[in-house]
Amino acid sequence: MPKRCTWAAGGNELLKHYHDREWGTPCHSDQKLFELLSLEIFQAGLSWQTVLNKRQALDDALANFDFQILSSFEGQLPKLLTNQAIIRNQRKLLAIIHNARIVSDMVMRGQSFDAYLWQFVHYQPIQHHYQSHLQIPKTNQLAIQISQTMKSAGFRFTGPVVSYSFLQAAGIINDHETTCFRYSKLSQPKK
């Protein structure tokens, strides 16, 4: 059995699958980046397991996180708030719909969400070398900078902690523990 990061080692199959196949893998799809940001917004104050348990229902209710469709979803809010299968936090739902508008407008102007984010790290993932989950910070200066830039652009619910978690999820920062089987695979330079 492969050694995983501490947070995924004892989890159920959804958590292991997310860790093994998604978390920390450099992502360059505008759509997927928007989904990862939205999931991190949903996760704020909740366990990651809760988000994963509701992920399929969230995909179904939120048009598979298609930011172009979600950008005009505000009228759907009353229906979303009665959907017991999803995370029914009005503030989070409104933030995601609002953020969808920003990403949609960005793309319509010819800028990708991918380039907007990856330019902060010169298009190269940051490789941390944490041996223990206890060393991994909740945020850092990069996340603070990105959070401030995103807030200036109008993004909501993108504080430094959510931003740092998002950077980890999107593979912009590799925070797999050095003993994790994914660490060595993701820390290899691309050829």
Side-chain angles (χ1 to χ4, degrees):
M1 180 154 74
K3 179 142 174 66
R4 293 180 174 87
C5 293
T6 303
W7 63 266
N12 70 15
E13 289 308 309
L14 280 176
L15 195 63
K16 289 176 185 175
H17 184 272
Y18 174 71
H19 171 273
D20 295 357
R21 303 220 175 128
E22 283 186 80
W23 190 77
T25 302
C27 177
H28 293 283
S29 159
D30 286 352
Q31 190 66 43
K32 186 68 174 173
L33 286 165
F34 179 77
E35 177 184 2
L36 292 171
L37 175 62
S38 299
L39 292 173
E40 292 301 337
I41 289 169
F42 277 124
Q43 192 272 328
L46 301 173
S47 75
W48 191 241
Q49 188 65 60
T50 297
V51 175
L52 291 177
N53 289 343
K54 294 184 176 275
R55 188 175 188 179
Q56 186 58 57
L58 289 166
D59 283 347
D60 294 343
L62 298 174
N64 294 311
F65 293 97
D66 183 324
F67 54 83
Q68 292 175 327
I69 295 171
L70 273 177
S71 66
S72 60
F73 241 57
E74 205 160 309
Q76 299 289 323
L77 189 61
K79 181 180 175 188
L80 291 171
L81 292 172
T82 64
N83 184 342
Q84 294 184 13
I86 68 169
I87 297 165
R88 297 178 293 165
N89 181 304
Q90 183 171 343
R91 243 181 95 221
K92 291 177 181 181
L93 288 164
L94 284 171
I96 290 165
I97 293 166
H98 179 80
N99 294 347
R101 273 190 229 116
I102 294 170
V103 175
S104 185
D105 290 346
M106 184 184 293
V107 170
M108 286 175 60
R109 290 190 314 269
Q111 183 182 16
S112 71
F113 190 39
D114 170 53
Y116 176 82
L117 294 166
W118 280 91
Q119 54 95 19
F120 285 99
V121 294
H122 307 290
Y123 303 92
Q124 291 296 317
I126 293 175
Q127 302 296 331
H128 287 158
H129 308 284
Y130 298 124
Q131 295 176 354
S132 164
H133 70 284
L134 300 173
Q135 296 173 299
I136 300 171
K138 299 244 182 275
T139 192
N140 67 4
Q141 195 56 47
L142 174 64
I144 292 167
Q145 177 190 4
I146 290 174
S147 171
Q148 290 170 344
T149 302
M150 290 180 79
K151 284 183 177 185
S152 293
F155 283 90
R156 294 182 184 163
F157 226 105
T158 54
V161 175
V162 168
S163 294
Y164 191 81
S165 295
F166 170 53
L167 297 175
Q168 292 172 307
I172 294 171
I173 292 175
N174 179 4
D175 269 355
H176 281 278
E177 295 165 38
T178 56
T179 55
C180 175
F181 82 98
R182 296 282 290 149
Y183 174 80
S184 59
K185 181 175 181 169
L186 294 171
S187 62
Q188 300 298 319
K190 297 290 181 201
K191 296 179 181 174

